[in-house]
Amino acid sequence: MNVHEYQAKELLAKFGVGIPAGIPALTVEEAVAAAKQLPGPLYVVKAQIHAGGRGKGKFKELGPDAKGGVRLAKSVEEVEDFAKEMLGNTLVTVQTGEAGKQVNRLYVTDGVDIAREYYLSMVVDRATGRVAMIVSTEGGMDIEEVAHSTPEKIATIVIDPAQGFMPHHGRAVAAALKLSGDLAKQAATIAKQLFTAFNALDCDMLEINPLVETKDGNLLVLDTKMSFDSNALYRHPDVVALRDETEEDPAEIEASKYDLAYIKLDGNIGCMVNGAGLAMATMDIIKLNGEFPANFLDVGGGATTEKVTAAFKIILRDPAVKGILVNIFGGIMKCDIIADGIVAAAKEVNLQVPLVVRLEGTNVQQGKDILANSGLAIVPANDLGDAAQKIVAEVRKVS
Ligand code: ADP
Ligand code: MG
């Protein structure tokens, strides 16, 4: 799960991290009121979307010469003008894709006198099972480009979560940023605060770009992106409350309501599978047979009628789907129960695309009989290879 920049900053501020003063706004009036509460005379109006690269982005409606989604305003009147330009319009950045994202929220913040911009991020490094803190003197720009052309300018500091953030980690961060004296101390402090926040909030990614040194010698977080481990969200109702569903794919929101793991892909064969490993294998074998999966979908252990119905509906929202492959192993849930669910769900959604079903496991014969006697045009399959060949043949017939 992702949150907006202003939400991430408010979370970080609770851990003592320095941020510029700022107030979120949903309307032009709120943006003006926000600016009036800030000291001025410089303000920055920032589009709040779940994507980076806003500064260099372009608004679809405003033409090629218009400025992007991060604007420096020199008066309250300018804040008002920029809010009018941004709200309701569509911002296209390197991270949004061509469709862009509609700007529904702004963040009005203090303009900061920047001396230098740095980069600092943290991710869970699965290879080492530790937290990797990635720092660079080259902040404010495209870090992928820095990594590509000048990898020596990026330092990675690995922190063992059992040991925690030690003073030597702080010194390593300061050294990588080429800071000394008081700024080095500040860098060590802020790195420790960020690490503490990262752990306490169960983040899986935290990126500060840029971390800035102000002309009067302070380190501040100027921009941040934060995402959370969805398996740990149950521990953080305050974080869940920050969810902005307008930023998410409607099909994925619907899927999460039924506890289905769904990810849309670009192919034409909808997949309904139980277990992530089996889902991956199913996708692989579809590709091996020359077609592409339209989605990843794991219905989980309890493939109930309700869940299977929801899954069919979610798969069928995608107009690219030309056929569906159901591949379910009846272990905890027996095959006859699953077959009943598939038949009921197919009838309820009035399924019009070819459906190939492969069942295996407990009571498999009863399950197959239920499918065969359902009166529906379900194509039965005996194993994974057979299932993939049959669904590929079916979608090629219709397309
Ligand atoms: P994005 O990464 O989405 O483009 P940022 O918040 O990083 O958005 O803003 C882009 C650039 O705008 C920053 O690198 C910084 O130079 C400038 N900027 C952002 N916020 C402020 C601010 N409060 N004061 C001064 N400059 C800012
Ligand atoms: Mg940024």
Side-chain angles (χ1 to χ4, degrees):
M1 190 195 122
N2 299 315
V3 294
H4 288 293
E5 172 199 359
Y6 78 92
Q7 296 167 326
K9 281 182 172 168
E10 285 170 3
L11 288 171
L12 291 179
K14 292 186 189 152
F15 292 84
V17 175
I19 59 164
I23 301 164
L26 294 168
T27 61
V28 175
E29 296 70 39
E30 283 179 18
V32 169
K36 285 184 180 158
Q37 285 181 59
L38 294 170
L42 283 182
Y43 312 89
V44 179
V45 184
K46 309 182 80 173
Q48 298 296 289
I49 54 172
H50 286 184
R54 297 162 299 167
K56 293 202 177 99
K58 291 279 173 210
F59 280 96
K60 267 194 178 168
E61 296 82 357
L62 301 183
D65 297 330
K67 296 248 172 58
V70 177
R71 304 276 307 267
L72 186 69
K74 297 195 181 73
S75 64
V76 175
E77 290 69 38
E78 273 194 347
V79 170
E80 181 171 6
D81 291 345
F82 298 162
K84 281 184 187 154
E85 283 184 24
M86 290 190 204
L87 278 171
N89 280 338
T90 312
L91 184 58
V92 181
T93 81
V94 286
Q95 293 184 7
T96 58
E98 265 176 48
K101 287 203 156 181
Q102 191 180 47
V103 176
N104 302 316
R105 302 183 193 205
L106 300 173
Y107 191 39
V108 184
T109 81
D110 257 348
V112 173
D113 236 345
I114 301 171
R116 290 219 49 173
E117 301 196 347
Y118 304 100
Y119 178 92
L120 188 156
S121 68
M122 267 175 278
V123 286
V124 178
D125 178 1
R126 288 168 195 273
T128 58
R130 296 177 182 189
V131 175
M133 191 175 273
I134 300 152
V135 290
S136 174
T137 49
E138 309 306 296
M141 49 188 96
D142 184 356
I143 197 70
E144 286 81 7
E145 177 54 32
V146 178
H148 181 72
S149 49
T150 49
E152 69 283 0
K153 292 191 171 163
I154 295 182
T156 303
I157 296 149
V158 176
I159 304 157
D160 183 343
Q163 191 187 35
F165 193 94
M166 307 294 280
H168 70 87
H169 294 127
R171 290 195 292 275
V173 170
L177 296 179
K178 300 194 177 1
L179 297 174
S180 57
D182 181 56
L183 281 167
K185 277 193 198 145
Q186 286 190 51
T189 304
I190 207 165
K192 183 172 182 174
Q193 289 165 336
L194 291 169
F195 177 81
T196 307
F198 184 91
N199 272 329
L201 295 168
D202 288 312
C203 292
D204 56 21
M205 194 276 304
L206 173 59
E207 183 182 57
I208 314 294
N209 191 22
L211 173 72
V212 297
E213 176 187 328
T214 62
K215 291 231 169 94
D216 52 9
N218 288 310
L219 286 185
L220 292 179
V221 166
L222 213 65
D223 182 21
T224 178
K225 271 175 117 182
M226 198 185 253
S227 76
F228 302 87
D229 178 351
S230 49
N231 291 318
L233 281 176
Y234 72 96
R235 297 204 284 217
H236 304 286
D238 50 332
V239 171
V240 175
L242 302 177
R243 188 164 182 183
D244 179 359
E245 293 197 342
T246 64
E247 292 284 332
E248 297 175 23
D249 179 344
E252 289 180 18
I253 296 170
E254 192 61 21
S256 71
K257 285 186 194 151
Y258 292 91
D259 215 12
L260 303 165
Y262 170 89
I263 293 157
K264 184 179 153 29
L265 301 168
D266 295 332
N268 57 5
I269 297 178
C271 304
M272 190 188 315
V273 189
N274 64 343
L278 193 57
M280 300 296 274
T282 307
M283 289 157 56
D284 280 348
I285 204 154
I286 288 172
K287 278 191 149 183
L288 194 65
N289 282 275
E291 290 291 339
F292 289 89
N295 64 277
F296 168 94
L297 194 155
D298 176 7
V299 291
T304 58
T305 306
E306 195 200 10
K307 270 194 167 185
V308 174
T309 309
F312 271 130
K313 286 184 182 163
I314 289 160
I315 291 173
L316 291 169
R317 286 172 81 122
D318 178 357
V321 169
K322 296 284 180 289
I324 297 178
L325 172 55
V326 174
N327 183 20
I328 291 187
F329 179 77
I332 301 169
M333 186 69 87
K334 296 186 182 75
C335 289
D336 50 335
I337 308 280
I338 294 164
D340 277 336
I342 293 169
V343 171
K347 285 185 178 157
E348 189 185 328
V349 303
N350 187 22
L351 196 67
Q352 300 291 336
V353 297
L355 172 63
V356 175
V357 178
R358 182 249 177 166
L359 288 179
E360 193 51 84
T362 314
N363 292 354
V364 64
Q365 197 49 51
Q366 288 100 305
K368 285 184 174 173
D369 293 344
I370 290 167
L371 296 178
N373 299 327
S374 66
L376 296 169
I378 297 173
V379 180
N382 293 322
D383 56 40
L384 194 44
D386 185 38
Q389 281 165 16
K390 282 181 172 157
I391 190 64
V392 166
E394 289 291 332
V395 300
R396 287 188 177 164
K397 262 191 241 166
V398 292
S399 51

